[in-house]
Amino acid sequence: MPALRLDRPRRSALFMPASNPKALAKAREVDADVIILDLEDAVAPEQKEAAREAALRALYTGGFGHREVAVRVNGLDTEWGADDLEALARAGADALLVPKVSSPQDVLRYHEALSDAPSDLQLWAMIETAGSVLRLDAIASLARQTRLALWVIGPNDLARELRARPDAGRTFLQPFLSLAVAAARAHGLSILDGVCNEFKDMDIFRKEAEQGLMFGFDGKTLIHPAQIAPCNEVFSPSPVELEWAGRVIEAFAQPEHAGKGAIKLDGRMVELLHRDQAQSLLALARRIAARG
């Protein structure tokens, strides 16, 4: 199975409708870490086949630079899903994002459908159904035996299925977000927070992105280019965090601290787990800088 692309930051993942030529052109210019060419929710039924062809042309043309490129296909339970998978499996995308995964059997169906695809093609899954809420661990466990490499939370579809009434703090989602992150981490999956429908008030967007960071997400999916800059800022290590990380690593490297599991630094107790976190933070900063 393909290894997780941990060398590439995934702070911001912008959905762009493959049916929109201007959006496809813009995708090569924006500062998002990930571009998701959308064949599903953003495309009307009568435009599905044309959008697939447009996505194929975009992938074959290339020019996305540092950006990781995924395609959100239509589900296998639709009339377009099987053709999407067959056409796009060898088109050069980094990943295919599949919608409305509710059970381990769903993941296995997609994995089997991609059996002849290149070995480095990843399977990403939208976690956005009531069924998925009850089967998070079982679904995530398939990362060890399939192409499954990343989850994307779908808050709008989930709210619809649950008949929830979303508020600014995403109160109805919070238990689910915590459990989803826990399941993803337990099985080595990357995980992206869902979209924020607000793309004009960046204060609202930033608060939601900061909440996602607090829960432990790797990044956030976006619906508008205006959301990219604040999203990248939120999910990038701050200068204060990097300074602290450097000091933690330096402190543990001192001869007098050799073999110790915990030391004092600035009146605080820090443990080896904090050193590991510091190393991960610095590694992320290096990956972002290397992206250029």
Side-chain angles (χ1 to χ4, degrees), residues 104-166:
Q105 289 71 31
D106 291 339
V107 173
L108 292 172
R109 287 174 63 211
Y110 285 107
H111 176 73
E112 178 62 27
L114 295 171
S115 59
D116 294 330
S119 61
D120 60 349
L121 178 67
Q122 296 182 29
L123 176 63
W124 295 1
M126 296 293 304
I127 301 298
E128 55 186 347
T129 69
S132 68
V133 174
L134 303 175
R135 303 180 182 95
L136 290 170
D137 185 69
I139 296 170
S141 69
L142 289 176
R144 303 181 187 278
Q145 65 189 74
T146 69
R147 296 174 182 269
L148 183 64
L150 180 145
W151 278 354
V152 174
I153 301 299
N156 292 327
D157 278 283
L158 186 59
R160 176 181 57 82
E161 283 210 5
L162 298 180
R163 302 178 189 172
R165 299 184 180 183

Side-chain angles (χ1 to χ4, degrees), residues 64-250:
F64 291 94
H66 61 77
R67 302 162 191 85
E68 200 168 9
V69 182
V71 182
R72 178 162 69 171
V73 298
N74 293 284
L76 280 174
D77 56 346
T78 71
E79 61 185 280
W80 311 283
D83 290 340
D84 285 350
L85 293 177
E86 182 177 357
L88 290 157
R90 294 185 173 274
D94 293 291
L96 298 185
L97 173 60
V98 299
K100 299 176 178 61
V101 166
S102 293
S103 69
Q105 289 71 31
D106 291 339
V107 173
L108 292 172
R109 287 174 63 211
Y110 285 107
H111 176 73
E112 178 62 27
L114 295 171
S115 59
D116 294 330
S119 61
D120 60 349
L121 178 67
Q122 296 182 29
L123 176 63
W124 295 1
M126 296 293 304
I127 301 298
E128 55 186 347
T129 69
S132 68
V133 174
L134 303 175
R135 303 180 182 95
L136 290 170
D137 185 69
I139 296 170
S141 69
L142 289 176
R144 303 181 187 278
Q145 65 189 74
T146 69
R147 296 174 182 269
L148 183 64
L150 180 145
W151 278 354
V152 174
I153 301 299
N156 292 327
D157 278 283
L158 186 59
R160 176 181 57 82
E161 283 210 5
L162 298 180
R163 302 178 189 172
R165 299 184 180 183
D167 59 9
R170 302 194 293 179
T171 304
F172 85 98
L173 263 184
Q174 290 183 23
F176 172 67
L177 296 178
S178 291
L179 290 171
V181 171
R185 298 298 178 226
H187 298 285
L189 287 170
S190 294
I191 184 166
L192 301 180
D193 195 5
V195 299
C196 174
N197 297 326
E198 176 57 64
F199 61 87
K200 292 185 177 180
D201 190 326
M202 288 301 105
D203 288 336
I204 293 175
F205 172 81
R206 180 179 288 274
K207 288 179 181 178
E208 187 168 306
E210 289 172 346
Q211 183 190 54
L213 178 68
M214 177 185 69
F215 274 109
F217 286 96
D218 296 307
K220 188 170 180 65
T221 47
L222 314 174
I223 59 171
H224 195 278
Q227 298 173 325
I228 295 172
C231 190
N232 283 346
E233 183 179 347
V234 167
F235 285 96
S236 295
S238 71
V240 172
E241 289 174 320
L242 293 175
E243 191 271 339
W244 173 253
R247 294 181 61 220
V248 169
I249 292 171
E250 182 180 356

